[in-house]
């Protein structure tokens, strides 16, 4: 199935389509495990896939004429999806690319995450589908174990991830997971009792009084990006220098959210993508009223509590600009301009309205909601051709719906829910 043609047989049966039908939300949505919910593992058998051949794509020359060019399928990609960094937007781009190129996804055996917050293991991955010899793309949440991940992905895999300013990351993590991370929940109860400052401010005044480092569900409660990357998130230890070096050597690109378009250009260079293939809309965005204003004294506490994330971010920010200089800053600036123009064209074609509350969205394009924040979405324009509609719906499709659709497409059956016993 090409990315331009929307196959409705699965999505209509599960979400009621996208033309105004209203259906009950299915278990795939309501069963989404919060980030602190472990899921059982499964050992995946091995199967083989035929080698893909180069494909032909249309491209315009400088005179506007269309010609054919040969492009090989992109190399295998492992995208480490970090929490609350803008990673859902990158994941959507990966989903669209993988679907268009008919790549084989490495999906979790259960639900949407690789048994988070347990460290990743190869046996958390579902089996290869019939006819496949390797996984071509992985982009679901995990806590990284690099050695185990390399057992799953081919040797020529491109490893990428995304980091964000630690202050903004932690504020977003706290807001999104207040009801699921135990330390945050305790702080919220204290703030409600005191009836004064925000729960975030209350937590940061004495974080150790709410944070139990032995509680598995508290992984995101301190240095969440370090935790996602498999590092010790509690305190600096002797293993950090070696582990940081291993990460720097393993990841061909660590994207930076504050330089998102520049990051996408460097990603496009790695994967041989055109600006049109990198166009995006921001997904999983909170309502403005759910963003906690951060005062100066709170900023200082945030930096101190997440000092390892600060170190991690500053290191890879420096590495990022080193790669940008190698690419050529002038060239990068020109490519960013092209990307933004392509993104603007696609948004104008596809998006009727952004920042839409969930109650105004149809099931297919409604983001999953937490107990503590409102996640906004997009309405797609009407009067589109079927091909345009397929492209545009995918552009705004939330993670859970797109994940479920691709899983069904690859395996021919629904995703497995997390066992309750």
């Amino acid at each position: 199935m090409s990315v331009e043609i929307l196959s409705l047989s699965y999505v209509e049966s599960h979400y009621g389509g996208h033309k105004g039908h209203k259906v009950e939300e299915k278990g795939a949505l309501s069963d989404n495990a919060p980030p602190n919910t472990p899921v059982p593992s499964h050992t995946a058998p091995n199967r083989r896939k035929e080698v893909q051949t180069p494909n032909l794509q249309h491209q315009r020359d400088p005179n506007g004429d269309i010609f054919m060019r040969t492009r090989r399928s992109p190399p295998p990609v492992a995208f480490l999806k970090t929490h609350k960094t803008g990673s859902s937007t990158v994941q959507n781009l990966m989903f669209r690319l993988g679907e268009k190129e008919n790549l084989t996804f490495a999906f979790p055996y259960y639900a949407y995450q690789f048994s988070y917050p347990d460290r990743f293991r190869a046996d958390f991955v579902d089996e290869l589908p019939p006819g496949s010899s390797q996984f071509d793309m992985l982009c679901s949440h995990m806590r990284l174990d690099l050695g185990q991940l390399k057992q799953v992905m081919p040797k020529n895999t491109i490893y990428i991830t995304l980091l964000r300013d630690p202050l903004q990351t932690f504020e977003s993590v706290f807001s999104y997971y207040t009801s699921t991370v135990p330390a945050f929940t305790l702080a919220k109860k204290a703030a409600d009792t005191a009836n004064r400052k925000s729960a975030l401010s209350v937590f940061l005044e004495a974080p150790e009084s709410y944070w139990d480092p032995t509680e598995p569900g508290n992984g995101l409660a301190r240095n969440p990006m370090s935790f996602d990357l498999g590092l010790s998130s509690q305190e600096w230890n002797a293993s950090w220098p070696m582990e940081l070096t291993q990460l720097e050597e393993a990841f061909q690109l660590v994207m930076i959210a504050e330089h998102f378009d520049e990051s996408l250009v460097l990603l496009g260079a790695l994967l041989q993508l055109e600006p049109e293939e990198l166009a995006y809309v921001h997904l999983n965005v909170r309502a403005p009223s759910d963003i906690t204003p951060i005062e100066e004294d709170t900023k200082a506490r945030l930096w101190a509590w997440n000092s390892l994330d600060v170190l991690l971010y500053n290191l890879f920010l420096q590495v990022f600009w080193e790669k940008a200089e190698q690419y050529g800053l002038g060239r990068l600036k020109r490519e960013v301009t092209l990307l933004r123009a392509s993104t603007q064209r696609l948004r104008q074609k596809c998006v009727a309205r952004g920042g839409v509350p969930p109650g105004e969205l149809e099931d297919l394009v409604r983001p999953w909601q937490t107990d503590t924040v409102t996640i906004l979405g997009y309405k797609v324009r009407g009067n589109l051709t079927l091909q345009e509609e397929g492209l545009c719906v995918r552009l705004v499709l939330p993670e859970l719906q797109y994940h479920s659709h691709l899983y069904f497409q690859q395996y021919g059956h629904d995703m497995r829910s997390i066992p309750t016993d």
Side-chain angles (χ1 to χ4, degrees), residues 159-196:
Y159 292 90
I160 61 175
T161 190
L162 175 65
L163 299 180
R164 182 186 182 190
D165 176 271
L167 185 151
Q168 303 299 329
T169 299
F170 192 82
E171 184 278 325
S172 184
V173 165
F174 189 98
S175 173
Y176 199 89
Y177 297 117
T178 300
S179 64
T180 53
V181 172
F184 298 166
T185 302
L186 290 173
K188 177 66 165 59
K189 290 179 179 177
D192 291 343
T193 301
N195 193 25
R196 48 189 181 95

Side-chain angles (χ1 to χ4, degrees), residues 85-141:
T85 59
S87 61
S88 292
T89 301
V90 179
Q91 184 193 54
N92 176 273
L93 190 154
M94 295 288 102
F95 279 166
R96 285 183 280 134
L97 173 65
E99 185 176 18
K100 185 183 70 171
E101 299 287 350
N102 194 30
L103 304 182
T104 299
F105 286 89
F107 284 125
Y109 187 78
Y110 291 108
Y112 302 92
Q113 303 176 0
F114 290 109
S115 194
Y116 195 92
D118 293 342
R119 287 185 182 273
F120 177 81
R121 296 205 312 263
D123 59 8
F124 290 166
V125 182
D126 208 337
E127 64 182 10
L128 280 163
S132 294
S133 64
Q134 67 176 36
F135 291 114
D136 305 308
M137 185 168 287
L138 181 151
C139 48
S140 301
H141 273 305

Side-chain angles (χ1 to χ4, degrees), residues 54-74:
N55 55 25
L56 294 176
Q57 296 190 338
H58 292 88
Q59 184 174 345
R60 292 185 182 275
D61 67 16
N63 297 321
D65 296 326
I66 295 177
F67 63 94
M68 301 298 290
R69 71 181 180 94
T70 300
R71 189 187 90 182
R72 295 188 179 277
S73 295

Side-chain angles (χ1 to χ4, degrees), residues 167 170 196-198 200-207 292-306:
L167 185 151
F170 192 82
R196 48 189 181 95
K197 299 179 180 179
S198 70
L200 178 60
S201 296
V202 170
F203 175 81
L204 290 170
E205 286 176 355
T292 304
I294 301 175
E295 301 175 356
E296 287 303 317
D297 61 336
T298 304
K299 288 182 181 180
R301 294 188 179 110
L302 272 170
W303 289 118
W305 183 245
N306 296 282

Side-chain angles (χ1 to χ4, degrees), residues 281 346-354 378-379 381 395-396:
V281 295
L346 189 58
R347 290 176 182 176
Q348 289 176 345
K349 172 187 286 187
C350 291
V351 178
R353 185 158 64 98
Y378 297 87
K379 283 196 173 183
R381 290 189 183 277
L395 178 70
V396 305

Side-chain angles (χ1 to χ4, degrees), residues 252-317:
Q252 285 88 335
L253 178 62
V254 176
M255 305 170 69
I256 301 295
E258 287 70 33
H259 306 287
F260 194 72
D261 289 344
E262 291 84 354
S263 295
L264 286 183
V265 168
L266 297 182
L267 176 64
L270 277 175
L271 304 184
Q272 304 175 47
L273 304 178
E274 301 296 328
E276 293 78 11
E277 297 173 288
L278 296 166
Y280 65 94
V281 295
H282 290 288
L283 296 176
N284 213 21
V285 175
R286 291 174 292 164
S289 59
D290 291 324
I291 299 175
T292 304
I294 301 175
E295 301 175 356
E296 287 303 317
D297 61 336
T298 304
K299 288 182 181 180
R301 294 188 179 110
L302 272 170
W303 289 118
W305 183 245
N306 296 282
S307 58
L308 298 183
D309 269 6
V310 173
L311 186 154
L312 179 74
Y313 177 83
N314 287 339
L315 168 66
F316 281 105
L317 179 63

Side-chain angles (χ1 to χ4, degrees), residues 17-58:
H18 58 281
K19 292 189 177 294
H21 300 291
K22 187 71 174 178
V23 298
E24 290 184 20
E25 293 188 3
K26 298 294 180 180
L29 290 180
S30 59
D31 288 347
N32 180 42
N36 57 321
T37 303
V39 298
S41 62
H42 175 78
T43 302
N46 191 26
R47 299 188 182 178
R48 294 288 162 197
K49 178 182 179 181
E50 300 171 358
V51 176
Q52 293 183 341
T53 57
N55 55 25
L56 294 176
Q57 296 190 338
H58 292 88

